[in-house]
Amino acid sequence: MTAKRTALYPGTFDPITNGHLDIMARGAKLVDELVIGVAINEGKKPLFSVEERVAMAKEELAPVAKATGTLIRVEAFDGLLVHFAESLGAQFILRGLRAVADFEYEYQMVGMNAFLNDDIETIFLMADPHHQAIASKLVKEIARLGGKINDFVPPAVEKALLAKFK
Ligand code: ADP
């Protein structure tokens, strides 16, 4: 029997976007279990509380779990990513890659995480060209300034963003 393949997809998800969801849906096809790790990240001063970010992710991922048959869990975490991955028994860390701007940071993270535990492999999925430009930070800025965001986030997240900036 082969071991259960578990991947951890970490992020701030403040809020979850169509870009994240695309990576999650594609990543879910590669493993038996996908854990979405919502980083508490107080230092980043998130717009949404960790409870809100977890709840939004859970709502959007229920249909993905159903469609792929993959076990998908959403969990908040604090502290070192590698320690969280170890506590889950995850063999993989999943990340999405947009343009070159993501590359340098992600490459450095892979290097540092490999020093901490080189049994955990980071796998990258390239952003879908339609979602390449989507970033939580920009979506929040557009929402704050009253622009249309329905192409970037699912309807429930759009509603939550509009409520924050009302
Ligand atoms: P972090 O604070 O870890 O950067 P984010 O929530 O911003 O958290 O992003 C989590 C992961 O999702 C990162 O790997 C990031 O590169 C990826 N990501 C963000 N936006 C997109 C997108 N539009 N398409 C594909 N991947 C994305």
Side-chain angles (χ1 to χ4, degrees):
M1 207 177 90
T2 50
K4 181 175 79 170
R5 289 174 166 257
T6 299
L8 166 63
Y9 181 25
T12 311
F13 307 115
D14 184 41
I16 193 165
T17 68
N18 291 342
H20 295 134
L21 281 166
D22 176 58
I23 298 293
M24 290 168 187
R26 287 159 58 201
K29 293 184 194 155
L30 306 175
V31 292
D32 304 302
E33 179 181 40
L34 178 64
V35 181
I36 311 304
V38 180
I40 294 177
N41 247 342
E42 281 311 330
K44 268 196 172 178
K45 298 217 179 315
L47 174 66
F48 290 97
S49 70
V50 69
E51 291 81 13
E52 288 171 318
R53 286 179 279 141
V54 166
M56 284 188 280
K58 277 189 178 161
E59 182 177 340
E60 300 306 329
L61 285 162
V64 178
K66 210 167 163 196
T68 57
T70 301
L71 181 63
I72 303 182
R73 291 195 283 136
V74 183
E75 289 198 17
F77 79 100
D78 215 358
L80 213 50
L81 176 63
V82 164
H83 289 168
F84 183 49
E86 285 167 351
S87 75
L88 298 166
Q91 302 95 331
F92 308 105
I93 291 171
L94 174 67
R95 296 285 285 175
L97 260 194
R98 288 164 295 184
V100 277
D102 280 341
F103 181 81
E104 208 169 327
Y105 172 73
E106 296 290 344
Y107 193 53
Q108 196 172 12
M109 285 286 287
V110 168
M112 293 305 274
N113 285 336
F115 272 114
L116 299 172
N117 184 337
D118 67 359
D119 286 332
I120 300 177
E121 196 70 59
T122 304
I123 52 178
F124 291 95
L125 292 179
M126 299 298 286
D128 178 294
H130 291 103
H131 300 134
Q132 180 74 242
I134 304 176
S136 299
K137 192 174 161 198
L138 293 177
V139 174
K140 283 182 281 190
E141 192 61 6
I142 295 169
R144 190 176 68 80
L145 298 171
K148 251 172 57 134
I149 51 169
N150 59 316
D151 284 334
F152 313 134
V153 291
V157 176
E158 179 187 16
K159 210 169 139 204
L161 271 166
L162 295 180
K164 284 275 179 203
F165 292 117
K166 207 161 59 184

XYZ file of all heavy atoms in Angstrom, residues 9-20 22-23 26 39 41 44 94-98 102 105-106 109 124-128 131-137, ligand 1:
340
model
N -1.033 23.639 1.568
C -0.993 24.887 0.793
C -1.120 26.044 1.788
O -2.205 26.326 2.282
C -2.127 24.903 -0.230
C -2.186 26.136 -1.129
C -1.068 26.911 -1.402
C -3.370 26.521 -1.728
C -1.121 28.028 -2.229
C -3.446 27.634 -2.569
C -2.313 28.382 -2.801
O -2.374 29.488 -3.616
N -0.003 26.686 2.094
C -0.045 27.771 3.071
C -0.208 29.134 2.419
O 0.207 29.346 1.272
C 1.342 27.675 3.722
C 2.230 27.228 2.599
C 1.383 26.424 1.651
N -0.806 30.035 3.146
C -0.933 31.407 2.642
C -1.652 32.252 3.663
O -2.121 31.741 4.690
N -1.748 33.526 3.370
C -2.474 34.419 4.270
C -3.964 34.418 3.894
O -4.837 34.542 4.731
C -1.879 35.845 4.195
O -0.461 35.752 4.323
C -2.402 36.721 5.307
N -4.223 34.283 2.615
C -5.591 34.200 2.091
C -6.474 35.324 2.646
O -7.544 35.070 3.205
C -6.198 32.810 2.353
C -5.330 31.683 1.845
C -4.745 30.762 2.713
C -5.059 31.558 0.485
C -3.923 29.748 2.245
C -4.241 30.536 0.003
C -3.682 29.636 0.882
N -6.006 36.537 2.449
C -6.683 37.720 3.027
C -7.184 38.645 1.925
O -6.595 39.701 1.738
C -5.706 38.444 3.960
C -6.360 39.630 4.665
O -7.517 39.478 5.082
O -5.730 40.694 4.780
N -8.256 38.306 1.237
C -9.048 37.084 1.326
C -8.644 36.102 0.231
O -7.814 36.407 -0.630
C -10.465 37.599 1.044
C -10.240 38.654 -0.001
C -8.925 39.297 0.361
N -9.304 34.948 0.260
C -9.101 33.937 -0.779
C -9.593 34.504 -2.124
O -10.616 35.197 -2.169
C -9.826 32.635 -0.386
C -9.398 31.480 -1.263
C -11.345 32.783 -0.375
C -9.808 30.115 -0.690
N -8.817 34.264 -3.195
C -9.181 34.799 -4.523
C -9.395 33.651 -5.514
O -9.085 32.493 -5.207
C -8.047 35.681 -5.084
O -6.916 34.828 -5.378
C -7.637 36.789 -4.135
N -9.836 34.000 -6.706
C -9.990 32.982 -7.755
C -8.632 32.377 -8.122
O -8.566 31.228 -8.565
C -10.630 33.597 -9.000
C -12.083 33.961 -8.758
O -12.704 33.479 -7.807
N -12.642 34.825 -9.602
N -7.561 33.152 -7.956
C -6.211 32.636 -8.225
C -5.851 31.530 -7.249
O -5.384 30.451 -7.647
N -6.096 31.764 -5.944
C -5.844 30.724 -4.940
C -6.704 29.488 -5.221
O -6.225 28.359 -5.150
C -6.225 31.219 -3.537
C -5.401 32.359 -3.023
N -5.961 33.469 -2.427
C -4.057 32.566 -2.997
C -4.996 34.291 -2.041
N -3.841 33.788 -2.382
N -7.973 28.370 -7.909
C -7.518 27.605 -9.074
C -6.353 26.687 -8.682
O -6.328 25.508 -9.047
C -7.105 28.587 -10.182
C -6.532 27.864 -11.373
O -7.247 27.012 -11.930
O -5.362 28.127 -11.730
N -5.407 27.231 -7.903
C -4.263 26.413 -7.459
C -4.766 25.271 -6.556
O -4.320 24.128 -6.658
C -3.228 27.284 -6.686
C -2.655 28.392 -7.585
C -2.114 26.424 -6.075
C -1.808 27.944 -8.733
N -6.512 22.568 -8.692
C -5.530 21.776 -9.466
C -4.675 20.940 -8.537
O -4.369 19.779 -8.832
C -4.682 22.716 -10.327
C -5.494 23.276 -11.514
C -4.891 24.558 -12.063
N -3.531 24.400 -12.498
C -2.662 25.439 -12.627
N -3.040 26.665 -12.343
N -1.445 25.224 -13.038
N -2.339 31.192 7.460
C -1.360 31.761 8.387
C -2.006 32.902 9.166
O -2.609 33.807 8.568
C -0.152 32.264 7.613
N -0.568 35.272 10.814
C 0.140 36.437 10.245
C -0.288 37.800 10.777
O -0.522 38.724 9.987
C -0.071 36.426 8.712
C 1.239 36.155 7.996
O 2.314 36.307 8.579
N 1.150 35.770 6.738
N 1.223 40.993 9.408
C 0.796 41.549 8.111
C -0.459 42.406 8.256
O -0.960 42.944 7.275
C 0.505 40.411 7.124
C 1.694 40.003 6.272
C 1.214 39.179 5.072
C 2.318 38.903 4.075
N 1.840 38.077 2.949
N 2.572 23.079 -1.167
C 2.093 23.545 -2.469
C 2.099 25.067 -2.479
O 1.675 25.704 -1.512
C 0.659 23.021 -2.678
C -0.106 23.488 -3.918
C 0.534 22.925 -5.191
C -1.572 23.044 -3.846
N 2.605 25.638 -3.568
C 2.566 27.099 -3.715
C 2.174 27.427 -5.150
O 2.388 26.634 -6.073
C 3.942 27.720 -3.422
C 4.423 27.533 -2.012
C 3.740 28.417 -0.994
N 4.189 29.817 -1.051
C 3.657 30.785 -0.319
N 2.648 30.542 0.495
N 4.106 32.018 -0.399
N 1.612 28.610 -5.339
C 1.278 29.080 -6.687
C 2.340 30.078 -7.126
O 2.873 30.812 -6.302
N 2.657 30.087 -8.399
C 3.659 31.035 -8.912
C 3.045 31.932 -9.957
O 2.521 31.465 -10.970
C 4.798 30.275 -9.587
C 6.099 30.026 -8.866
C 7.151 29.561 -9.860
C 6.606 31.243 -8.110
N 3.110 33.220 -9.678
C 2.672 34.186 -10.701
C 3.908 34.643 -11.471
O 4.792 33.840 -11.723
C 1.918 35.338 -10.044
C 0.548 34.928 -9.536
C -0.020 35.923 -8.578
N 0.808 35.970 -7.377
C 0.538 36.698 -6.307
N -0.534 37.445 -6.285
N 1.312 36.672 -5.255
N 7.152 36.720 -7.951
C 7.010 35.691 -6.919
C 8.259 34.830 -6.811
O 8.523 34.244 -5.766
C 5.848 34.721 -7.248
C 4.479 35.291 -6.894
O 4.434 36.236 -6.091
O 3.476 34.779 -7.433
N 11.341 35.299 -4.039
C 10.902 35.021 -2.669
C 10.663 33.515 -2.481
O 11.126 32.917 -1.512
C 9.630 35.819 -2.375
C 8.978 35.486 -1.065
C 9.539 35.906 0.129
C 7.796 34.738 -1.026
C 8.948 35.581 1.343
C 7.202 34.415 0.180
C 7.768 34.837 1.362
O 7.179 34.510 2.555
N 9.957 32.927 -3.429
C 9.608 31.507 -3.313
C 10.866 30.631 -3.355
O 10.969 29.638 -2.639
C 8.640 31.091 -4.435
C 7.285 31.792 -4.375
C 6.402 31.341 -3.193
O 6.686 30.288 -2.582
O 5.447 32.057 -2.878
N 12.519 30.764 -0.042
C 11.750 29.981 0.939
C 12.031 28.482 0.791
O 12.194 27.771 1.781
C 10.248 30.212 0.742
C 9.758 31.531 1.237
S 9.687 31.569 3.027
C 8.267 30.518 3.294
N 5.277 23.612 -7.119
C 4.699 24.862 -7.613
C 3.782 24.590 -8.788
O 4.113 23.804 -9.670
C 5.813 25.805 -8.094
C 6.643 26.332 -6.972
C 7.834 25.705 -6.629
C 6.228 27.430 -6.236
C 8.595 26.170 -5.570
C 6.979 27.903 -5.175
C 8.167 27.273 -4.846
N 2.663 25.271 -8.782
C 1.800 25.256 -9.961
C 1.804 26.672 -10.507
O 1.674 27.644 -9.748
C 0.380 24.823 -9.586
C 0.231 23.369 -9.136
C -1.229 23.071 -8.761
C 0.686 22.406 -10.233
N 1.983 26.794 -11.815
C 1.997 28.115 -12.432
C 0.592 28.686 -12.433
O -0.376 27.972 -12.721
C 2.485 28.034 -13.888
C 3.890 27.502 -14.052
S 5.115 28.552 -13.254
C 5.154 29.912 -14.391
N 0.479 29.960 -12.120
C -0.831 30.621 -12.142
C -1.459 30.489 -13.527
O -0.756 30.587 -14.544
C -0.675 32.087 -11.778
N -2.729 30.257 -13.559
C -3.477 30.263 -14.808
C -3.348 31.671 -15.406
O -3.441 32.661 -14.671
C -4.934 29.945 -14.463
C -5.842 29.954 -15.656
O -6.051 31.032 -16.253
O -6.365 28.880 -15.974
N -5.591 34.284 -14.219
C -5.521 34.694 -12.812
C -4.177 35.293 -12.436
O -3.942 35.625 -11.279
C -5.807 33.491 -11.907
C -7.156 32.876 -12.126
N -7.367 31.529 -12.239
C -8.363 33.469 -12.265
C -8.645 31.304 -12.436
N -9.279 32.462 -12.459
N -3.316 35.388 -13.435
C -1.934 35.842 -13.229
C -1.840 37.168 -12.457
O -0.957 37.342 -11.624
C -1.317 36.004 -14.642
C 0.087 36.461 -14.710
C 1.078 35.375 -14.311
O 1.790 35.530 -13.345
N 1.092 34.284 -15.063
N -2.762 38.073 -12.750
C -2.645 39.418 -12.162
C -3.337 39.541 -10.808
O -3.206 40.560 -10.134
C -3.240 40.440 -13.129
N -4.046 38.501 -10.406
C -4.850 38.625 -9.181
C -3.983 38.499 -7.932
O -3.251 37.520 -7.774
C -5.972 37.559 -9.138
C -6.850 37.649 -10.388
C -6.823 37.729 -7.881
C -7.919 36.563 -10.473
N -4.073 39.482 -7.069
C -3.365 39.447 -5.780
C -4.338 39.970 -4.726
O -5.012 40.986 -4.960
C -2.125 40.326 -5.831
N -4.393 39.301 -3.580
C -5.317 39.730 -2.511
C -5.147 41.212 -2.210
O -6.127 41.942 -2.026
C -5.062 38.937 -1.223
O -5.267 37.572 -1.425
N -3.889 41.648 -2.182
C -3.600 43.034 -1.824
C -4.269 44.016 -2.804
O -4.868 45.016 -2.400
C -2.072 43.204 -1.860
C -1.586 44.474 -1.259
C -0.073 44.467 -1.224
C 0.398 45.907 -1.066
N 1.781 46.088 -1.427
P 1.523 34.699 1.349
O 1.361 35.695 2.461
O 2.093 33.369 1.788
O 2.191 35.216 0.099
P -0.935 34.653 -0.198
O -2.290 34.379 0.348
O -0.690 35.988 -0.755
O 0.020 34.320 1.004
O -0.544 33.590 -1.302
C -0.514 32.211 -1.024
C 0.047 31.457 -2.226
O -0.816 31.617 -3.341
C 1.411 31.919 -2.724
O 2.113 30.782 -3.188
C 1.094 32.832 -3.871
O 2.147 32.902 -4.800
C -0.111 32.106 -4.463
N -0.985 32.986 -5.227
C -1.490 34.171 -4.850
N -2.264 34.700 -5.816
C -2.237 33.809 -6.854
C -2.798 33.779 -8.174
N -3.523 34.792 -8.632
N -2.575 32.699 -8.953
C -1.792 31.692 -8.493
N -1.209 31.660 -7.277
C -1.422 32.696 -6.469
